[in-house]
Amino acid sequence: MHLLFEHHWLATSLVASIAFVLLWKSIVDGRGEFFRYGVAVCILSIVTFLIGYYVVTPVEHGRILVSGLVVAVEANDSDALLTILDKNVEMPNQWPGIDSSGAVGAVASMHAFHARHMLQFNTVLRIIPVEFKNRVELDVSMLSRVSRIGTVPSRWRITVAPNETGNWSITSIDVLEIMGRKYP
């Protein structure tokens, strides 16, 4: 099912290829049953695409939220950040000197970072999702271009989970490594 839901283009392509082969076989051999089977499999490929396109999996929720987080932090956009963070988001390695916790502390950390540095761009190199029963943990590797420092490699563990109302949000942001320095 993960192949269908998370890689719907691949699943649709496989089913459509089988439909094409059956339709081609009906044209070459002139056999009507291959044509009927080909049309049926073609309809199945359309249904496969629609199911995969409209069903959003927990891993896809995580990828969407991580992309939104990266864009919000790069733009120093507090409103966008507050929409994707849980109000009680955990940040074990928060920016030094920030006393607040939760989403307010995350916004304050972002503003403190932008007061000292200008973030020119972020490139997400790799996202490795691990799906649990009620949450998804994403191991994110990035390259960030920071003013007065240069290109900074970093690794983060970001946890996303649904809240009481069923809306997915980021519940934990944990830095694992920045410029080769590991954090506990």
Side-chain angles (χ1 to χ4, degrees):
M1 290 310 266
H2 279 283
L3 177 66
L4 173 63
F5 292 140
E6 292 183 16
H7 305 287
H8 63 276
W9 285 105
L10 177 61
T12 301
S13 298
L14 290 173
V15 176
S17 297
I18 294 169
F20 177 76
V21 168
L22 289 171
L23 291 171
W24 182 260
K25 185 80 169 155
S26 74
I27 292 170
V28 171
D29 291 347
R31 296 178 60 183
E33 66 269 8
F34 283 131
F35 182 77
R36 287 189 298 274
Y37 293 141
V39 169
V41 174
C42 186
I43 292 170
L44 179 65
S45 72
I46 293 169
V47 170
T48 301
F49 173 77
L50 292 174
I51 289 172
Y53 185 77
Y54 286 110
V55 173
V56 181
T57 64
V59 171
E60 289 174 324
H61 279 294
R63 290 180 190 274
I64 291 167
L65 288 172
V66 166
S67 296
L69 174 71
V70 169
V71 169
V73 169
E74 186 175 326
N76 197 16
D77 188 357
S78 302
D79 296 331
L81 191 63
L82 288 172
T83 61
I84 60 176
L85 292 179
D86 187 65
K87 63 182 176 186
N88 298 319
V89 65
E90 297 175 9
M91 293 182 55
N93 298 314
Q94 199 163 1
W95 189 268
I98 304 295
D99 295 331
S100 302
S101 61
V104 174
V107 170
S109 294
M110 179 182 69
H111 289 309
F113 174 80
H114 278 279
R116 291 185 58 192
H117 302 286
M118 188 173 94
L119 192 57
Q120 296 169 338
F121 69 85
N122 285 306
T123 303
V124 177
L125 299 175
R126 177 181 64 179
I127 297 177
I128 301 174
V130 179
E131 189 173 343
F132 294 95
K133 183 179 177 184
N134 58 353
R135 71 184 192 284
V136 176
E137 288 185 0
L138 298 112
D139 190 3
V140 181
S141 297
M142 294 179 32
L143 283 177
S144 303
R145 181 76 175 168
V146 181
S147 65
R148 297 187 304 247
I149 296 176
T151 303
V152 177
S154 61
R155 277 190 37 228
W156 303 78
R157 178 159 299 129
I158 299 173
T159 305
V160 298
N163 58 17
E164 309 82 40
T165 61
N167 295 326
W168 286 79
S169 59
I170 295 175
T171 59
S172 175
I173 302 172
D174 191 12
V175 62
L176 301 176
E177 181 179 334
I178 295 178
M179 290 185 63
R181 179 179 173 210
K182 297 190 185 301
Y183 288 82

